[in-house]
Amino acid sequence: AELSDDDFTDGTIDILSIVRKSGLCASRSEARRNVEQGGVSVDGEAVKDIKTVYTKEQLSGDGIVVKRGKKNFRRVTVK
């Protein structure tokens, strides 16, 4: 999944927006539930805090791998 510059606010993007824009969840509330229940991981590390943010530099290059559940995962990069 590719993010554009419009998706970032002040050079950062939160985990809920990443999960939603990558197509792993249909809504931010569904993404919030998944994160709070421990079903979302980024690059192999579980994300439990819904306020986790990522910078544009972290997503540039190869990007990050966002995983929801056991079999749903996407590589997220910046356009």
Side-chain angles (χ1 to χ4, degrees):
E2 288 188 342
L3 300 176
S4 65
D5 290 335
D6 298 336
D7 298 329
F8 292 88
T9 54
D10 298 328
T12 61
I13 187 168
D14 63 336
I15 187 65
L16 300 181
S17 297
I18 290 174
V19 172
R20 174 135 141 57
K21 291 187 186 290
S22 67
L24 291 171
C25 288
S27 65
R28 284 181 60 91
S29 60
E30 183 182 350
R32 177 187 303 263
R33 273 193 305 277
N34 284 305
V35 170
E36 287 174 344
Q37 293 171 0
V40 175
S41 64
V42 174
D43 289 335
E45 267 190 54
V47 178
K48 303 251 185 207
D49 187 13
I50 60 171
K51 295 181 178 136
T52 305
V53 294
Y54 294 93
T55 62
K56 200 179 290 188
E57 288 77 31
Q58 289 174 298
L59 297 173
S60 62
D62 286 343
I64 59 173
V65 175
V66 180
K67 184 176 174 185
R68 187 187 130 240
K70 284 186 174 179
K71 299 179 182 176
N72 299 321
F73 53 91
R74 301 273 192 286
R75 179 172 297 279
V76 180
T77 59
V78 178
K79 230 185 248 187

